[in-house]
Amino acid sequence: QKEVEQDPGPLSVPEGAIVSLNCTYSNSAFQYFMWYRQYSRKGPELLMYTYSSGNKEDGRFTAQVDKSSKYISLFIRDSQPSDSATYLCAMSAGESAGTASKLTFGTGTRLQVTL
Amino acid sequence: SAVISQKPSRDICQRGTSLTIQCQVDSQVTMMFWYRQQPGQSLTLIATANQGSEATYESGFVIDKFPISRPNLTFSTLTVSNLSPEDSSIYLCSVVRYTEAFFGQGTRLTVV
């Protein structure tokens, strides 16, 4: 079993839709949870960062972490064609916020938002 | 934020040869990380490069195949040696600033 499982998609939605992206994990030591967005031919860039369980909202994006279920989600509201990218979840046990350096990634979900 | 310049952005190499990838960061960092991103696979950490010491390799990766240099606090190279088609992948360097990991644009390697 992989440490982090993520549906690779592709996921195709119409513009304006709400998108739900998810990852499950098996390592209970993970406490830092991140979502990265990767456009074609680019490196990943950090989208959302959450420590431990809870929700975090940033504009159209909401990240949720449920440590009891070992399940994290990223919601995108009012999706736009510019949101078309691959979304990777990443996790770290990290001894402190400054050492969230050894990341374990999901495979990434490819999202296509159509007009 | 951190600006990372990685090159080459892509290359096509003959099997049996080697490719060296360079990564330049806009400011000093203690650790630099090298990842491999295979099609349909997760980003997998190859090794952590510290300035002034040997790189630390993850399980399944060895120095003979992936030698790394870290001559100063802003620069690192990863060499993929004795190339085979299985090495065709995207290779990325990364640094961490506080809680955020920054990535270079990646090097797309195709081995023929």
Side-chain angles (χ1 to χ4, degrees):
Chain A
Q1 182 190 7
K2 292 181 181 178
E3 270 194 302
V4 179
E5 299 275 1
Q6 184 176 8
D7 187 338
L11 180 63
S12 183
V13 302
E15 184 179 9
I18 297 174
V19 177
S20 173
L21 304 168
N22 311 294
C23 287
T24 59
Y25 64 95
S26 57
N27 187 347
S28 58
F30 289 144
Q31 52 183 336
Y32 298 93
F33 304 92
M34 289 140 278
W35 285 95
Y36 282 82
R37 179 174 60 195
Q38 186 175 21
Y39 291 113
S40 180
R41 292 182 168 73
K42 299 287 187 183
E45 55 179 349
L46 183 67
L47 198 57
M48 298 285 286
Y49 164 84
T50 310
Y51 171 69
S52 194
S53 285
N55 294 356
K56 187 172 185 178
E57 189 172 319
D58 184 1
R60 296 185 295 110
F61 299 90
T62 300
Q64 287 186 351
V65 175
D66 182 350
K67 288 190 71 179
S68 63
S69 301
K70 296 190 178 65
Y71 187 87
I72 70 170
S73 300
L74 177 70
F75 297 96
I76 306 174
R77 291 183 299 280
D78 187 24
S79 55
Q80 303 294 310
S82 58
D83 295 328
S84 299
T86 296
Y87 291 80
L88 302 107
C89 62
M91 308 175 189
S92 171
E95 290 142 11
S96 67
T99 61
S101 54
K102 187 168 179 177
L103 302 178
T104 301
F105 285 87
T107 54
T109 299
R110 191 154 55 92
L111 172 66
Q112 181 73 37
V113 181
T114 57
L115 291 169
Chain B
S1 65
V3 176
I4 302 174
S5 175
Q6 183 177 340
K7 57 183 180 181
S9 59
R10 56 174 55 220
D11 207 341
I12 300 173
C13 299
Q14 297 287 328
R15 64 180 69 196
T17 63
S18 298
L19 175 70
T20 296
I21 303 166
Q22 300 180 1
C23 187
Q24 178 77 49
V25 188
D26 64 342
S27 58
Q28 294 181 345
V29 290
T30 304
M31 292 188 289
M32 295 179 71
F33 305 88
W34 288 98
Y35 286 87
R36 182 174 70 185
Q37 187 176 27
Q38 294 179 305
Q41 303 288 323
S42 310
L43 270 78
T44 302
L45 182 63
I46 297 171
T48 302
N50 294 311
Q51 195 268 336
S53 63
E54 277 199 6
T56 302
Y57 290 82
E58 297 299 307
S59 175
F61 298 96
V62 295
I63 187 171
D64 289 347
K65 177 67 175 177
F66 298 98
I68 288 171
S69 78
R70 184 80 202 276
N72 57 54
L73 290 172
T74 63
F75 187 79
S76 178
T77 68
L78 169 75
T79 298
V80 189
S81 59
N82 190 24
L83 290 168
S84 68
E86 293 71 35
D87 296 319
S88 296
S89 186
I90 298 172
Y91 294 85
L92 297 124
C93 65
S94 174
V95 301
V96 173
R97 284 266 162 79
Y98 301 102
T99 57
E100 183 169 352
F102 297 90
F103 291 85
Q105 69 180 50
T107 298
R108 184 179 294 269
L109 168 62
T110 302
V111 182
V112 296

